[in-house]
Amino acid sequence: MKPIQVGLLGIGTVGSGTFQVLRRNQEEIKRRAGRGIEITMVADLDTARAKAVVGEGVQVVADARAVIANPEIDIVVELIGGYGIAKQLVLEAIAAGKHVVTANKALLAVHGTEIFAAAHAKGVMVAFEAAVAGGIPIIKALREGLTANSIQWIAGIINGTTNFILSEMRDKGLDFDTVLKEAQRLGYAEADPTFDIEGVDAAHKVTLMSAIAFGIPVQFDRAHVEGITKLAAQDIKYAEQLGYRIKLLGITKRKAQGIELRVHPALVPSKRLLANVEGAMNAVVVNGDAVGTTLYYGKGAGSEPTASAVIADLVDIARLHTADAAHRVPHLAFHPDAMSDLKVLPMAEVVTSYYLRLRVADEAGVLAKVTGLLAGAGISIDAVLQREADEVGGEGSTQTDLIILTHDTREGTLDDAMAQLQALPTVLAPIVRIRKEELS
Ligand code: HSE
């Protein structure tokens, strides 16, 4: 059979990796796909760099629309990123009847409903394994491998930059700003790291996983997004003393009232495998009612790991594109006319447990007042740690840190209790609140 022809839009880190891995493993990939897969056209504004990557025999152009207009091209791979021109080009490629492979999590998390509807109407596939956790085949696992299950929850370390920063903060006892600068120097963090450190990148990814797991539309605007910029080295240390590590987690859970969808730093018991995922690595834990808890671990970024996911999508399309569109795996795992209308819950309705750090006056009755107030609000305490005042504020200090771990409670209830605690004259600084996930 004639090889399937692929056009790349953008040949930076992931595009180069895709080209190289396809060339290196072309024979094996052909034996798996049942036909050859060839990149025959590349669009990149830097045509000289693109030519240096692909060499002779591949057409290089500066205009992405020339790829979309080429009737020989079967699949367009969008590796430009962002919501701007990439969205326009993806919609144009779909309108031209091309299948699309993309690594663009931002685009799909925000505009996925429009893009998947356009693809469905046109009978083409939009594949996005590379958009979540790079080389880890988590989309395939959720959409196909776990299809027997009622998925209960997913929790993932799905941003390598922040996991690298948190690992360094813990290992070296350094603060966030110092480690961020070091991460930028080493190339682990972008010059503008906002999307990573503010949790936005992880929220894009967990939004996509949530849609596939629960059959709900992609709803990035309903996700709760909190990054790691306000984390203090001292909380990482206290958490460790209590048997926890702090990770930036993307979490989505099925609850009776709706779906939880959130990204925030969380204390994870040190004994859990997820707590031991270090550096820039990614890992996702999925709990299904039949299978129990499963774990997926690997590189969440980088040239060839991400290319591995892009090429898996190309092979899927090569195998399935002659199939009747109604019998392909649905984009979001569930058929578009069988989606769930479960709502995404507001944070006040989320039920989880908490780490609280209170800077308090070191005097009689303070602990009793704080715990009494929590008891009055119906919030049960799991553990309390009180530091020596000298250790916290230096010799002769009259202030100390009181650390409280709670049992599960409604976030709205905790918000009200925290407002009351904050108003106590013996609570001397803004209370630090970090959520806790036991993952059991
Ligand atoms: N910037 C992402 C990360 C990789 O740090 O994991 C691409 O999604």
Side-chain angles (χ1 to χ4, degrees):
M1 199 191 278
K2 183 170 161 285
I4 201 157
Q5 297 204 20
V6 178
L8 291 191
L9 310 186
I11 189 155
T13 309
V14 178
S16 310
T18 302
F19 188 82
Q20 277 145 13
V21 176
L22 252 186
R23 188 168 53 186
R24 186 168 77 234
N25 296 340
Q26 59 180 315
E27 273 314 309
E28 244 176 298
I29 291 169
K30 182 177 176 185
R31 280 161 52 212
R32 291 185 172 126
R35 63 193 289 195
I37 297 174
E38 286 179 1
I39 294 172
T40 53
M41 196 167 180
V42 171
D44 199 294
L45 291 175
D46 189 342
T47 50
R49 188 194 57 184
K51 279 182 186 147
V53 175
V54 299
E56 296 298 315
V58 176
Q59 193 184 349
V60 174
V61 293
D63 179 11
R65 292 195 165 94
V67 176
I68 295 170
N70 183 342
E72 296 297 316
I73 296 291
D74 304 296
I75 308 173
V76 169
V77 180
E78 183 273 308
L79 298 171
I80 296 166
Y83 322 102
I85 185 69
K87 179 187 176 200
Q88 205 48 45
L89 293 172
V90 164
L91 288 172
E92 287 177 25
I94 291 168
K98 314 288 186 196
H99 302 290
V100 173
V101 173
T102 178
N104 192 336
K105 58 231 99 187
L107 175 64
L108 294 181
V110 176
H111 299 291
T113 301
E114 179 184 356
I115 288 168
F116 294 130
H120 184 68
K122 197 76 189 171
V124 296
M125 287 175 266
V126 174
F128 53 98
E129 184 64 73
V132 183
I136 305 173
I138 190 65
I139 300 297
K140 192 91 170 170
L142 286 170
R143 204 161 54 176
E144 296 167 58
L146 299 176
T147 197
N149 289 264
S150 169
I151 291 175
Q152 301 300 302
W153 55 263
I154 300 173
I157 294 172
I158 44 181
N159 183 271
T161 304
T162 45
N163 202 52
F164 173 83
I165 292 172
L166 292 176
S167 299
E168 290 286 292
M169 285 175 73
R170 184 178 69 82
D171 278 356
K172 300 183 178 160
L174 295 172
D175 63 25
F176 171 78
D177 291 324
T178 310
V179 176
L180 174 62
K181 284 199 190 80
E182 179 67 357
Q184 284 173 312
R185 197 181 62 76
L186 293 171
Y188 282 109
E190 312 259 353
D192 178 2
T194 314
F195 265 29
D196 292 321
I197 62 179
E198 297 293 359
V200 178
D201 175 73
H204 288 145
K205 294 166 180 168
V206 76
T207 297
L208 290 171
M209 291 196 288
S210 181
I212 291 172
F214 305 122
I216 56 171
V218 282
Q219 298 167 73
F220 173 71
D221 56 346
R222 300 279 173 86
H224 173 83
V225 190
E226 239 175 83
I228 62 167
T229 53
K230 296 192 186 79
L231 265 187
Q234 150 190 42
D235 292 310
I236 294 177
K237 192 179 77 187
Y238 290 150
E240 188 121 49
Q241 289 168 5
L242 288 158
Y244 293 86
R245 290 189 182 169
I246 298 180
K247 295 291 182 186
L248 183 72
L249 295 187
I251 298 169
T252 185
K253 295 186 181 185
R254 181 198 299 270
K255 292 288 173 74
Q257 308 77 5
I259 302 295
E260 293 183 4
L261 178 58
R262 48 195 169 98
V263 169
H264 52 73
L267 273 74
V268 178
S270 306
K271 63 185 178 200
R272 298 261 179 266
L273 288 170
L274 203 60
N276 294 280
V277 172
E278 299 287 18
M281 299 303 282
N282 280 200
V284 182
V285 181
V286 182
N287 181 275
D289 67 334
V291 74
T293 301
T294 58
L295 170 70
Y296 309 83
Y297 170 85
K299 289 187 178 152
S303 177
E304 293 206 357
T306 312
S308 166
V310 169
I311 296 168
D313 281 343
L314 293 176
V315 171
D316 261 358
I317 293 173
R319 286 171 175 154
L320 292 173
H321 87 128
T322 52
D324 167 9
H327 292 100
R328 296 185 194 134
V329 181
H331 291 114
L332 293 177
F334 292 74
H335 281 277
D337 58 0
M339 300 289 276
S340 160
D341 58 4
L342 268 178
K343 67 176 176 141
V344 174
L345 297 169
M347 275 312 273
E349 297 301 320
V350 162
V351 174
T352 189
S353 54
Y354 297 87
Y355 162 106
L356 304 175
R357 171 165 59 85
L358 293 82
R359 176 57 62 93
V360 294
D362 190 15
E363 57 188 54
V366 173
L367 179 60
K369 186 95 188 160
V370 168
T371 54
L373 203 148
L374 289 171
I379 297 169
S380 170
I381 293 172
D382 180 29
V384 177
L385 177 70
Q386 185 174 336
R387 309 309 308 167
E388 295 276 346
D390 287 359
E391 192 189 314
V392 172
E395 208 174 309
S397 170
T398 55
Q399 302 182 4
T400 191
D401 281 339
L402 185 59
I403 295 108
I404 296 172
L405 300 184
T406 76
H407 286 299
D408 276 356
T409 188
R410 221 182 116 263
E411 181 140 330
T413 306
L414 187 87
D415 286 342
D416 294 344
M418 273 180 64
Q420 291 181 53
L421 287 173
Q422 194 68 73
L424 294 174
T426 44
V427 173
L428 306 172
I431 299 168
V432 173
R433 181 255 304 271
I434 307 175
R435 298 176 189 89
K436 185 158 80 62
E437 290 295 322
E438 293 295 331
L439 302 177
S440 51

